[in-house]
Amino acid sequence: MQEREDARPGGLGTRHRLSRRSERLLVYLWAAGTVVISCLTEPHVGPLGQLVIGLVVGGCVTFMAWHESSWVQVQILCAVAVACTLEFVGTHGMQWWDYRLGNFPAWVPAGHAFIFLTSVILARTPSPRWLHRAAYAGLAAWTLWGLLLAERTDYSGVIGLLLIAAVRQHPVMRARIPWIIAVTVPGEFAGTHFGLYSYRPHDITGLLLMGNPPSGLPGGYALVDFAALLMASAVYQAWHRHHDPAEARSALTPRPPHSDPRRRSPAESKERCQLLARPAQPSSAGIRSRRGRDLYPLLVSEASPCRERPLR
Protein backbone atom coordinates (compact mmCIF):
# COMPACT_ATOMS: atom_id res chain seq x y z
CA MET A 1 0.00 0.00 0.00
CA GLN A 2 2.89 2.33 0.67
CA GLU A 3 4.22 1.70 -2.81
CA ARG A 4 0.86 2.55 -4.32
CA GLU A 5 0.71 5.88 -2.51
CA ASP A 6 4.23 6.70 -3.67
CA ALA A 7 3.54 5.54 -7.23
CA ARG A 8 0.51 7.76 -7.67
CA PRO A 9 1.02 10.61 -5.21
CA GLY A 10 -1.32 13.12 -6.81
CA GLY A 11 -1.95 16.09 -4.61
CA LEU A 12 -2.28 19.80 -5.11
CA GLY A 13 1.46 20.22 -5.55
CA THR A 14 1.64 17.69 -8.40
CA ARG A 15 -1.31 19.16 -10.27
CA HIS A 16 -0.05 22.74 -9.98
CA ARG A 17 3.69 21.96 -10.24
CA LEU A 18 4.51 22.96 -6.69
CA SER A 19 7.56 21.63 -4.91
CA ARG A 20 7.12 19.36 -1.91
CA ARG A 21 8.30 22.17 0.34
CA SER A 22 5.76 24.60 -1.12
CA GLU A 23 2.97 22.04 -0.83
CA ARG A 24 3.88 21.33 2.78
CA LEU A 25 3.96 25.06 3.59
CA LEU A 26 0.55 25.47 1.96
CA VAL A 27 -0.85 22.65 4.10
CA TYR A 28 0.69 24.19 7.23
CA LEU A 29 -1.05 27.51 6.55
CA TRP A 30 -4.32 25.78 5.67
CA ALA A 31 -4.31 23.66 8.83
CA ALA A 32 -3.36 26.54 11.13
CA GLY A 33 -5.92 28.87 9.59
CA THR A 34 -8.70 26.29 9.79
CA VAL A 35 -8.05 25.52 13.46
CA VAL A 36 -7.72 29.17 14.52
CA ILE A 37 -10.78 30.44 12.65
CA SER A 38 -12.96 27.52 13.75
CA CYS A 39 -11.96 27.85 17.42
CA LEU A 40 -12.57 31.60 17.43
CA THR A 41 -15.97 31.50 15.74
CA GLU A 42 -17.58 28.27 16.99
CA PRO A 43 -18.11 29.34 20.65
CA HIS A 44 -20.28 32.27 19.48
CA VAL A 45 -22.65 30.46 17.12
CA GLY A 46 -25.57 28.07 17.39
CA PRO A 47 -26.43 24.92 15.44
CA LEU A 48 -26.86 26.89 12.22
CA GLY A 49 -23.44 28.45 12.64
CA GLN A 50 -21.95 25.03 13.27
CA LEU A 51 -23.47 23.89 9.99
CA VAL A 52 -21.87 26.84 8.19
CA ILE A 53 -18.49 26.03 9.72
CA GLY A 54 -18.90 22.41 8.66
CA LEU A 55 -19.74 23.42 5.09
CA VAL A 56 -16.74 25.76 4.85
CA VAL A 57 -14.29 23.21 6.26
CA GLY A 58 -15.88 20.46 4.16
CA GLY A 59 -15.54 22.60 1.04
CA CYS A 60 -11.82 23.14 1.70
CA VAL A 61 -11.31 19.42 2.31
CA THR A 62 -13.20 18.57 -0.88
CA PHE A 63 -11.03 20.96 -2.87
CA MET A 64 -7.84 19.41 -1.50
CA ALA A 65 -9.16 15.85 -1.89
CA TRP A 66 -10.19 16.55 -5.50
CA HIS A 67 -6.50 16.75 -6.40
CA GLU A 68 -5.68 13.44 -4.71
CA SER A 69 -5.77 9.96 -6.21
CA SER A 70 -8.83 7.76 -5.89
CA TRP A 71 -6.96 5.61 -3.37
CA VAL A 72 -6.57 8.57 -0.98
CA GLN A 73 -10.17 9.66 -1.55
CA VAL A 74 -11.46 6.22 -0.54
CA GLN A 75 -9.33 6.41 2.61
CA ILE A 76 -10.83 9.79 3.51
CA LEU A 77 -14.38 8.46 3.26
CA CYS A 78 -13.49 5.41 5.34
CA ALA A 79 -11.77 7.58 7.96
CA VAL A 80 -14.87 9.77 8.30
CA ALA A 81 -17.09 6.69 8.68
CA VAL A 82 -14.87 5.14 11.37
CA ALA A 83 -14.42 8.43 13.23
CA CYS A 84 -18.13 9.25 13.29
CA THR A 85 -18.87 5.76 14.61
CA LEU A 86 -16.38 6.28 17.43
CA GLU A 87 -17.86 9.73 18.06
CA PHE A 88 -21.25 8.17 18.70
CA VAL A 89 -19.74 5.50 20.96
CA GLY A 90 -17.65 8.04 22.85
CA THR A 91 -20.42 10.55 23.50
CA HIS A 92 -23.47 8.31 24.00
CA GLY A 93 -21.98 4.95 24.96
CA MET A 94 -18.85 5.48 27.05
CA GLN A 95 -19.56 9.16 27.82
CA TRP A 96 -15.97 10.24 27.35
CA TRP A 97 -16.66 13.84 26.27
CA ASP A 98 -19.43 16.39 25.69
CA TYR A 99 -19.85 19.06 23.05
CA ARG A 100 -20.66 22.65 23.88
CA LEU A 101 -24.33 22.54 22.88
CA GLY A 102 -24.86 18.90 23.85
CA ASN A 103 -25.44 17.90 20.22
CA PHE A 104 -23.41 16.32 17.43
CA PRO A 105 -21.93 19.37 15.67
CA ALA A 106 -22.11 19.48 11.90
CA TRP A 107 -18.42 20.30 11.65
CA VAL A 108 -17.27 17.01 13.23
CA PRO A 109 -17.22 14.86 10.02
CA ALA A 110 -15.45 17.62 8.10
CA GLY A 111 -13.01 18.06 10.98
CA HIS A 112 -12.04 14.39 10.95
CA ALA A 113 -11.60 14.46 7.17
CA PHE A 114 -9.42 17.57 7.59
CA ILE A 115 -7.18 15.88 10.19
CA PHE A 116 -6.83 12.71 8.13
CA LEU A 117 -6.06 14.45 4.84
CA THR A 118 -3.55 16.78 6.49
CA SER A 119 -1.59 13.88 7.97
CA VAL A 120 -1.64 12.01 4.64
CA ILE A 121 -0.31 14.99 2.69
CA LEU A 122 2.40 15.79 5.23
CA ALA A 123 3.50 12.15 5.43
CA ARG A 124 3.86 11.91 1.65
CA THR A 125 7.51 12.93 1.90
CA PRO A 126 9.87 11.46 4.52
CA SER A 127 9.63 13.38 7.76
CA PRO A 128 12.81 14.60 9.47
CA ARG A 129 14.28 12.42 12.17
CA TRP A 130 13.93 15.13 14.79
CA LEU A 131 10.15 15.14 14.26
CA HIS A 132 9.93 11.43 15.11
CA ARG A 133 11.97 11.93 18.27
CA ALA A 134 10.11 15.06 19.34
CA ALA A 135 6.68 13.52 18.71
CA TYR A 136 7.31 10.32 20.64
CA ALA A 137 9.25 12.03 23.43
CA GLY A 138 6.55 14.69 23.85
CA LEU A 139 3.80 12.11 23.92
CA ALA A 140 5.66 10.02 26.52
CA ALA A 141 6.24 13.14 28.66
CA TRP A 142 2.55 14.06 28.42
CA THR A 143 1.61 10.54 29.51
CA LEU A 144 3.94 10.66 32.54
CA TRP A 145 2.66 14.10 33.49
CA GLY A 146 -0.93 12.82 33.39
CA LEU A 147 -0.06 9.84 35.54
CA LEU A 148 2.07 11.58 38.18
CA LEU A 149 1.67 15.37 38.23
CA ALA A 150 -1.67 16.41 36.71
CA GLU A 151 -4.57 17.55 38.88
CA ARG A 152 -6.80 15.13 36.97
CA THR A 153 -5.17 11.72 36.81
CA ASP A 154 -5.00 10.49 33.24
CA TYR A 155 -4.67 6.79 32.44
CA SER A 156 -5.53 7.09 28.76
CA GLY A 157 -1.96 7.94 27.75
CA VAL A 158 -0.79 4.41 28.54
CA ILE A 159 -3.49 2.96 26.28
CA GLY A 160 -2.59 5.48 23.58
CA LEU A 161 1.09 4.53 23.65
CA LEU A 162 0.21 0.84 23.38
CA LEU A 163 -2.03 1.55 20.39
CA ILE A 164 0.70 3.56 18.67
CA ALA A 165 3.26 0.82 19.34
CA ALA A 166 0.94 -1.75 17.74
CA VAL A 167 -0.14 0.37 14.77
CA ARG A 168 3.40 1.56 14.07
CA GLN A 169 4.34 -1.91 12.82
CA HIS A 170 2.56 -1.08 9.56
CA PRO A 171 4.91 0.72 7.12
CA VAL A 172 2.32 3.27 6.04
CA MET A 173 1.38 4.17 9.60
CA ARG A 174 5.03 4.44 10.63
CA ALA A 175 5.36 7.47 8.35
CA ARG A 176 2.03 8.99 9.36
CA ILE A 177 2.10 8.73 13.16
CA PRO A 178 4.53 11.63 13.83
CA TRP A 179 2.37 13.92 11.71
CA ILE A 180 -0.81 12.63 13.38
CA ILE A 181 0.68 13.62 16.74
CA ALA A 182 1.83 16.98 15.42
CA VAL A 183 -1.62 17.80 13.97
CA THR A 184 -3.97 16.44 16.63
CA VAL A 185 -2.28 17.61 19.83
CA PRO A 186 -2.45 21.38 19.09
CA GLY A 187 -5.97 20.97 17.71
CA GLU A 188 -7.21 19.16 20.81
CA PHE A 189 -5.67 21.69 23.19
CA ALA A 190 -7.24 24.52 21.18
CA GLY A 191 -10.65 22.81 21.11
CA THR A 192 -10.75 22.28 24.87
CA HIS A 193 -9.30 25.72 25.65
CA PHE A 194 -11.94 27.57 23.63
CA GLY A 195 -14.74 25.35 24.95
CA LEU A 196 -15.78 23.58 21.77
CA TYR A 197 -15.93 20.36 23.80
CA SER A 198 -14.74 19.06 27.15
CA TYR A 199 -13.68 15.65 28.39
CA ARG A 200 -15.14 14.10 31.50
CA PRO A 201 -12.91 13.06 34.43
CA HIS A 202 -13.76 9.39 33.83
CA ASP A 203 -15.81 7.16 31.57
CA ILE A 204 -19.14 5.52 32.34
CA THR A 205 -17.45 2.67 34.20
CA GLY A 206 -15.40 4.97 36.42
CA LEU A 207 -12.24 2.95 35.73
CA LEU A 208 -10.66 5.04 32.97
CA LEU A 209 -9.55 8.41 34.37
CA MET A 210 -8.92 11.11 31.76
CA GLY A 211 -7.52 14.59 31.54
CA ASN A 212 -8.90 17.50 29.53
CA PRO A 213 -7.71 16.76 26.88
CA PRO A 214 -6.56 13.18 27.58
CA SER A 215 -3.06 12.17 26.57
CA GLY A 216 -4.35 9.06 24.79
CA LEU A 217 -5.95 11.02 21.96
CA PRO A 218 -3.08 10.65 19.45
CA GLY A 219 -3.28 6.89 19.89
CA GLY A 220 -7.01 7.02 19.19
CA TYR A 221 -6.47 9.03 16.02
CA ALA A 222 -3.77 6.59 14.92
CA LEU A 223 -6.20 3.72 15.44
CA VAL A 224 -8.82 5.53 13.34
CA ASP A 225 -6.30 6.03 10.52
CA PHE A 226 -5.23 2.40 10.64
CA ALA A 227 -8.83 1.15 10.59
CA ALA A 228 -9.56 3.48 7.67
CA LEU A 229 -6.51 2.12 5.83
CA LEU A 230 -7.67 -1.47 6.21
CA MET A 231 -11.25 -0.62 5.29
CA ALA A 232 -10.16 1.34 2.25
CA SER A 233 -8.05 -1.59 1.06
CA ALA A 234 -11.05 -3.89 1.21
CA VAL A 235 -13.38 -1.36 -0.44
CA TYR A 236 -10.88 -0.51 -3.18
CA GLN A 237 -10.28 -4.14 -4.08
CA ALA A 238 -13.98 -5.00 -3.97
CA TRP A 239 -14.84 -2.07 -6.24
CA HIS A 240 -12.21 -2.86 -8.86
CA ARG A 241 -12.89 -6.57 -8.70
CA HIS A 242 -16.25 -5.90 -10.36
CA HIS A 243 -15.00 -3.25 -12.76
CA ASP A 244 -11.40 -4.14 -13.59
CA PRO A 245 -10.03 -7.45 -12.26
CA ALA A 246 -6.49 -6.66 -13.42
CA GLU A 247 -6.56 -3.35 -11.56
CA ALA A 248 -7.83 -5.09 -8.45
CA ARG A 249 -4.92 -7.54 -8.46
CA SER A 250 -2.26 -4.90 -9.03
CA ALA A 251 -3.79 -1.99 -7.10
CA LEU A 252 -2.41 -2.85 -3.68
CA THR A 253 0.49 -5.10 -4.72
CA PRO A 254 3.79 -3.56 -3.62
CA ARG A 255 6.08 -2.82 -6.54
CA PRO A 256 9.86 -2.94 -6.21
CA PRO A 257 11.27 0.59 -6.10
CA HIS A 258 12.26 2.05 -9.46
CA SER A 259 10.96 -0.98 -11.35
CA ASP A 260 9.62 1.20 -14.17
CA PRO A 261 12.47 2.55 -16.37
CA ARG A 262 10.36 5.57 -17.30
CA ARG A 263 10.20 6.63 -13.62
CA ARG A 264 13.96 6.54 -12.99
CA SER A 265 15.80 9.76 -12.39
CA PRO A 266 18.78 10.62 -14.67
CA ALA A 267 21.24 9.75 -11.88
CA GLU A 268 19.61 6.35 -11.33
CA SER A 269 19.62 5.64 -15.08
CA LYS A 270 23.29 6.55 -15.31
CA GLU A 271 24.16 4.31 -12.36
CA ARG A 272 22.20 1.44 -13.90
CA CYS A 273 24.05 1.88 -17.20
CA GLN A 274 27.41 1.77 -15.44
CA LEU A 275 26.46 -1.42 -13.63
CA LEU A 276 25.32 -3.08 -16.85
CA ALA A 277 28.49 -2.01 -18.68
CA ARG A 278 30.79 -3.83 -16.28
CA PRO A 279 32.13 -7.20 -17.46
CA ALA A 280 30.40 -10.07 -15.75
CA GLN A 281 32.47 -12.12 -13.31
CA PRO A 282 32.59 -15.87 -13.92
CA SER A 283 30.08 -17.58 -11.72
CA SER A 284 28.55 -21.00 -11.58
CA ALA A 285 25.17 -19.34 -11.09
CA GLY A 286 25.57 -17.00 -14.03
CA ILE A 287 23.77 -17.27 -17.35
CA ARG A 288 26.25 -18.35 -19.96
CA SER A 289 26.10 -19.65 -23.50
CA ARG A 290 27.70 -22.84 -24.82
CA ARG A 291 30.79 -20.89 -25.89
CA GLY A 292 31.17 -19.53 -22.40
CA ARG A 293 30.25 -15.93 -23.27
CA ASP A 294 27.91 -14.04 -20.96
CA LEU A 295 24.37 -13.49 -22.09
CA TYR A 296 23.58 -10.64 -19.72
CA PRO A 297 23.60 -7.97 -22.52
CA LEU A 298 20.59 -9.75 -24.02
CA LEU A 299 18.67 -9.29 -20.78
CA VAL A 300 18.65 -5.51 -21.10
CA SER A 301 15.11 -4.32 -21.71
CA GLU A 302 14.20 -2.46 -24.86
CA ALA A 303 12.85 0.31 -22.66
CA SER A 304 16.17 0.69 -20.86
CA PRO A 305 18.01 3.98 -21.44
CA CYS A 306 21.25 1.95 -21.80
CA ARG A 307 20.29 0.02 -24.89
CA GLU A 308 22.31 2.25 -27.26
CA ARG A 309 25.51 2.16 -25.14
CA PRO A 310 27.98 -0.65 -25.94
CA LEU A 311 28.23 -2.94 -22.97
CA ARG A 312 31.81 -4.03 -23.67
Side-chain angles (χ1 to χ4, degrees):
M1 282 177 282
Q2 179 67 45
E3 294 296 336
R4 179 172 180 83
E5 285 188 338
D6 294 341
R8 301 176 64 181
L12 188 64
T14 303
R15 300 293 178 88
H16 296 276
R17 298 182 180 180
L18 299 177
S19 64
R20 288 300 184 193
R21 181 177 299 180
S22 300
E23 183 185 31
R24 182 173 289 181
L25 178 60
L26 178 63
V27 174
Y28 284 154
L29 297 177
W30 172 54
T34 301
V35 172
V36 171
I37 295 175
S38 300
C39 290
L40 291 178
T41 57
E42 205 276 345
H44 306 287
V45 299
L48 182 59
Q50 291 178 340
L51 177 61
V52 173
I53 294 175
L55 292 176
V56 173
V57 176
C60 295
V61 172
T62 303
F63 173 77
M64 298 293 289
W66 183 261
H67 296 82
E68 299 291 332
S69 63
S70 59
W71 166 236
V72 176
Q73 293 171 359
V74 172
Q75 289 185 76
I76 295 173
L77 296 177
C78 293
V80 172
V82 173
C84 290
T85 302
L86 292 181
E87 286 278 349
F88 181 82
V89 173
T91 54
H92 295 82
M94 302 303 297
Q95 299 180 4
W96 287 332
W97 65 86
D98 298 298
Y99 286 101
R100 181 176 60 90
L101 300 179
N103 61 345
F104 185 78
W107 50 263
V108 169
H112 283 292
F114 156 76
I115 293 174
F116 180 84
L117 181 57
T118 301
S119 62
V120 168
I121 295 177
L122 294 178
R124 183 169 292 145
T125 54
S127 57
R129 186 172 299 178
W130 63 264
L131 177 64
H132 287 258
R133 296 174 179 174
Y136 294 127
L139 189 59
W142 187 13
T143 301
L144 291 177
W145 180 81
L147 288 173
L148 304 176
L149 302 176
E151 296 181 1
R152 287 174 49 172
T153 305
D154 187 2
Y155 294 158
S156 65
V158 178
I159 301 176
L161 289 178
L162 293 177
L163 289 175
I164 288 179
V167 171
R168 191 179 179 274
Q169 302 304 316
H170 196 280
V172 176
M173 296 304 302
R174 189 177 300 120
R176 289 185 187 178
I177 287 177
W179 292 111
I180 293 174
I181 298 174
V183 171
T184 57
V185 171
E188 289 293 335
F189 272 99
T192 53
H193 176 75
F194 288 98
L196 277 65
Y197 44 83
S198 61
Y199 290 86
R200 299 187 179 186
H202 53 80
D203 64 348
I204 192 173
T205 64
L207 301 176
L208 180 61
L209 303 181
M210 298 182 298
N212 187 35
S215 56
L217 280 175
Y221 280 105
L223 180 62
V224 170
D225 281 37
F226 183 62
L229 185 65
L230 298 181
M231 184 183 299
S233 302
V235 171
Y236 201 89
Q237 286 184 327
W239 172 266
H240 286 282
R241 188 177 296 113
H242 296 285
H243 293 76
D244 191 350
E247 177 74 11
R249 288 191 299 269
S250 63
L252 302 177
T253 302
R255 299 178 55 188
H258 315 303
S259 59
D260 188 355
R262 295 172 296 181
R263 295 182 57 83
R264 297 193 187 104
S265 64
E268 294 167 346
S269 300
K270 182 178 179 181
E271 182 180 359
R272 176 178 173 81
C273 294
Q274 293 175 353
L275 292 175
L276 291 175
R278 295 177 183 175
Q281 299 296 331
S283 173
S284 59
I287 303 177
R288 307 181 68 85
S289 66
R290 292 182 179 179
R291 296 183 180 180
R293 291 169 28 176
D294 298 293
L295 298 179
Y296 75 93
L298 301 179
L299 302 179
V300 181
S301 172
E302 292 296 331
S304 172
C306 315
R307 65 181 185 275
E308 298 180 356
R309 179 180 297 184
L311 298 180
R312 296 221 176 182

